[in-house]
Amino acid sequence: MSLRGELLLPQDALLIPAGDLSDETRARLRLGDDQFALTRPNIRSASKVLDADAARLVGYFREPTTVVNAVVRYAEGAGSEPREVLREAFPLIKSLERAHFLVPPGAEDANAIGPSLAVGEVFEGFTVIGVLQALVDTEVFQLRAPDGTAAALKLGRDEKDRKLRRAYEREAAILAHLGGEVAPRLIALGAPDVRPYVVAEWRPGIHPMAAADEARQRHDRGAVLQVAVAVAEAYAALHEHGVVHGDVHPRNAIVDRGGGVTLVDFGLARWQGLSNRLARTERGGVAWYTDPEYAAAREEERRPPADELSEQYSLAALLYAIFTGEQYLDFSVEREVLYRQILEEDPLPFVRRGAEPWPEVESILRTGLSKRREDRFSSVRELADRLRELLDASAKAPRAVPKDASGAQRVLERLLARVVPAGELWPPGPWEGPTASVNYGAAGVGYTLYRLAVLRDEPALLADADLWTARAWQAAGGEERPFHDEGFGIGRAIAEGVSPYHSRAGVACVEALVAQALGDMPSHGRAIAEFVSASTVPCDNLDLTLGRSGALLAVALLLESMWWPGEQTSEPLLELVPRMVAELWDELDSYPALPSARDLSFLGIAHGWGGVLYATLRACRAADVALPTGFSGRLDELAEAAEPYRRGLRWRRKFSGRDAPPDYMPGWCNGSAGLVSLWLLAERHTGDSRYAALAEGAAWNAWEDRARAANLCCGLAGRAYAQLAMYRHTGEAEWLTRAHELAEQAAEGNASPIGMGLTSLYKGDLAVAVLAADLEHPDRSCFPMFEEEGWPASK
């Protein structure tokens, strides 16, 4: 580092006074009142803790300046001797430059560090579909290969960085040696005359800490132990291939759907079969997982290379975090203090981490975390075998009984008490939003009671449903805002259209379903006639919740419910289907191929291609008419838009142009939960198992996302129905367990984020009530006013 060369504190580096940080962050960083935190995203160094004097000196680098000039300015302000300031400050400035907190003004990272490839860009024949990481020296991207499979790209920023190129060549050689066992399969290595890169097979999954957290939330210690065993056995298998990973931490292990573990990021790995040019590697990694041998030699010129015994210590530290959710020590943010802790302090008992004592596990981890190498297990395989013995023993013990949906049941009972004729909501009801519609108003209450009556076989509830449907018609005929409310984003154009969720068509649909269940054929005929009239008014909107696809879906719902023979009221509905499908697809066929930001840019069920495809398939099946010629091509385009994420698949909410950041959600309306129903129906219709795989991937994404909105449209209730759909398809109890857990979270959460309370089916608590009843009868469950209800005709 030159004293006269200019340095700059980059624009994305933050120098934050302790007083501006939360108490939790201050405690974690152990900041005093007069200290500062220096942090910068996308560099490999941790945040630095500076005292007030150091922070004032660093502040002079907000504009390009030499070290000498910065020191002189600081000394003048502090009344100090510049040479003495330089002597004391030089090690700090040098360390900040090495860590990329201070950079030359013309350096590539002088501005914010961002990705060099954009989503949609083609790299060496692969298409970029996601940016996973953009560090100062290395970037990681998710790719789609020409054959449609996913891959991972690790890309160096500097083609002249020989050390980095050797690291990539070493990683490629090790991946080739492992041949897809324990690690991803190698696909490609960059040529010497381009930026260094490695392309490897994509392995879906989540990090072991997340997998263990899921198990802890279920109070399932056996499942936590299973995650730990899988991680330990992966490292044991790696060592048996002659490879030491060299960079143990949670993000370098991936747990797949079946509990198997893949290890990734072999940039610091060692293998005895490497050539001399590639064999030498530096030590590195996350400080919390550092072994005592490395900590003891931190000041030496040549630090000891990682080997199986040192990696055993790092692995035991990771396993401790998997079991408890915390590190094995209260580590300091000061690097020297942290290294001393690694050398001297014993791991904390589980109880100190708020975890239940587990003497057998704690004993195994203490051996792996022994400060003396000779006191550890002879190999990681021995450590893994000891954990495996505990797992095998625990498998013989009784398993925890899954939680029932008691919270959801309370919502159901509260609903029933409020909507019966003597309840507080029976007329007029303290309504917010449209008063008559299925989505917000009385028709939604009527539909809810209808579903409860059918599931519970309670005629009194069916009579109440009939009363609420009459209440909806009363509101539609005389109230101020029966179907529209600008404050809720529902304008007159939508309310006067054909959407069954927001117009008269929906009230007629619910009345027909209730009359069908009551066996009231005259009322049923009148309701069908009203539905046909309301569903054939002009409407420009194509989507499912606001427009013509929704009307088409409602036709399917009604046709599927007509179970008695010789039903003549089906004829006008049967005549509607080919006409509605033709009008819809004449317009859709003129749209460009997906992906496209024009016209129908959303992908999901409520407002996009998923809903159009689902409604078309349901209606054509119900009316026994041929699908439009463009249907299968559009279905495949949507399938190809799937992006692997964690253990599942996700789709962008919409195509919004190349420069806009991708946007995803797990809910029914514009996310993965709603698409589960489409893919399962496509699999039933075609017999093609790839659609079932898409459904499973979408259901995993609906389960894994941590978003906590509770409602049916965007939130937890809708995601629970995705799990129920997979349960009905597979019969696997784990999907039903997940549905129960999401239902409980929905019941505990705020199901009415915009103040609609119990009176909204899609945005309020009505859906949680229906969900509770569906969980009582999961084989007969269906997403309200969307999925097939299981009437004899639909079978």
Side-chain angles (χ1 to χ4, degrees), residues 701-732:
N701 183 250
W703 159 250
E704 287 182 334
D705 198 283
R706 298 297 94 188
R708 282 293 172 267
N711 60 52
L712 185 66
C713 178
C714 316
L716 291 157
R719 290 157 58 190
Y721 274 108
Q723 311 305 303
L724 280 171
M726 286 304 299
Y727 169 72
R728 295 195 307 272
H729 177 73
T730 66
E732 296 172 1

Side-chain angles (χ1 to χ4, degrees), residues 173-183 233-245 261 263 266 269-274 308 311 380-381:
I174 290 173
L175 291 179
H177 163 65
L178 293 171
E181 293 187 44
V182 189
E233 290 183 338
Y235 276 97
L238 183 69
H239 289 180
E240 288 163 359
H241 280 82
V243 177
V244 175
H245 188 273
V261 170
L263 303 179
F266 288 80
R270 296 176 61 245
W271 171 43
Q272 58 198 12
L274 290 168
E308 293 184 10
E311 188 145 282
V380 167
R381 174 59 67 189

Side-chain angles (χ1 to χ4, degrees), residues 451-668:
R451 281 291 300 156
L452 295 177
V454 170
L455 287 166
R456 292 185 158 193
D457 194 21
E458 293 186 19
L461 289 177
L462 200 56
D464 291 342
D466 197 29
L467 287 173
W468 275 95
T469 306
R471 169 77 179 88
W473 280 123
Q474 180 186 21
E479 295 191 5
E480 183 178 327
R481 44 180 175 76
F483 299 108
H484 77 279
D485 190 318
E486 298 293 345
F488 285 74
I490 307 299
R492 288 189 179 276
I494 295 171
E496 294 169 1
V498 299
S499 165
Y501 304 100
H502 299 287
S503 76
R504 298 175 63 88
V507 182
C509 180
V510 173
E511 183 184 22
L513 291 171
V514 172
Q516 172 81 49
L518 286 168
D520 182 354
M521 285 181 278
S523 296
H524 182 264
R526 287 193 297 272
I528 292 294
E530 178 65 33
F531 172 81
V532 171
S533 174
S535 298
T536 52
V537 300
C539 179
D540 294 332
N541 195 301
L542 302 187
D543 75 34
L544 187 131
T545 59
L546 303 178
R548 285 147 58 190
S549 293
L552 189 58
L553 178 62
V555 172
L557 279 167
L558 292 170
L559 284 172
E560 291 160 353
S561 72
M562 293 183 185
W563 53 270
W564 58 69
E567 177 50 59
Q568 304 215 348
T569 50
S570 66
E571 292 178 6
L573 297 175
L574 291 170
E575 292 171 359
L576 270 184
V577 172
R579 191 178 84 198
M580 294 174 80
V581 169
E583 291 174 352
L584 186 67
W585 282 83
D586 281 349
E587 185 167 345
L588 290 172
D589 286 340
S590 68
Y591 288 2
L594 277 66
S596 170
R598 290 179 50 229
D599 303 312
L600 197 61
S601 59
F602 285 87
L603 298 188
I605 288 293
H607 304 296
W609 284 98
V612 171
L613 292 165
Y614 182 76
T616 301
L617 184 52
R618 279 281 297 282
C620 289
R621 283 168 59 88
D624 195 22
V625 301
L627 286 164
T629 56
F631 180 88
S632 60
R634 294 299 190 179
L635 191 67
D636 288 343
E637 288 173 3
L638 185 60
E640 290 166 5
E643 299 178 15
Y645 181 70
R646 294 168 67 111
R647 288 172 291 187
L649 297 169
R650 63 182 182 177
W651 283 257
R652 297 184 193 184
R653 191 171 65 90
K654 66 183 297 187
F655 289 122
S656 52
R658 181 169 174 172
D659 297 331
D663 183 14
Y664 307 91
M665 68 170 297
W668 171 83

Side-chain angles (χ1 to χ4, degrees), residues 3-9 53-78 82 85-86 89 93 102:
L3 294 178
R4 299 191 180 279
E6 287 188 332
L7 292 174
L8 171 69
L9 186 68
D53 291 335
R56 190 157 55 250
L57 174 60
V58 169
Y60 287 118
F61 289 95
R62 294 192 184 278
E63 299 293 335
T65 186
T66 65
V67 174
V68 169
N69 285 342
V71 166
V72 169
R73 290 177 65 191
Y74 172 87
E76 288 175 350
V85 173
L86 180 60
I93 295 173
L102 295 176

Side-chain angles (χ1 to χ4, degrees), residues 342-462:
I342 291 171
L343 289 168
E344 299 175 4
E345 296 183 17
D346 293 328
L348 296 170
F350 280 13
V351 70
R352 289 277 300 277
R353 291 310 193 196
E356 186 179 346
W358 202 339
E360 302 89 346
V361 169
E362 293 180 67
S363 175
I364 292 170
L365 296 183
R366 278 196 301 270
T367 300
L369 288 167
S370 295
K371 307 301 182 185
R372 292 166 18 113
R373 292 165 57 86
E374 56 269 29
D375 292 338
R376 298 170 199 157
F377 293 106
S378 61
S379 66
V380 167
R381 174 59 67 189
E382 184 181 356
L383 184 156
D385 287 346
R386 290 285 301 278
L387 290 174
R388 169 62 69 179
E389 290 170 6
L390 293 179
L391 180 62
D392 292 342
S394 71
K396 300 175 184 177
R399 300 300 297 272
V401 178
K403 290 173 61 178
D404 61 15
S406 57
Q409 288 289 340
R410 287 193 293 273
V411 172
L412 171 56
E413 298 308 319
R414 187 169 72 246
L415 164 83
L416 291 175
R418 297 183 71 186
V419 299
V420 294
E424 64 182 276
L425 291 181
W426 182 252
W431 242 278
E432 292 184 53
T435 57
S437 69
V438 168
N439 196 317
Y440 295 111
V445 181
Y447 179 84
T448 299
L449 292 170
Y450 150 76
R451 281 291 300 156
L452 295 177
V454 170
L455 287 166
R456 292 185 158 193
D457 194 21
E458 293 186 19
L461 289 177
L462 200 56

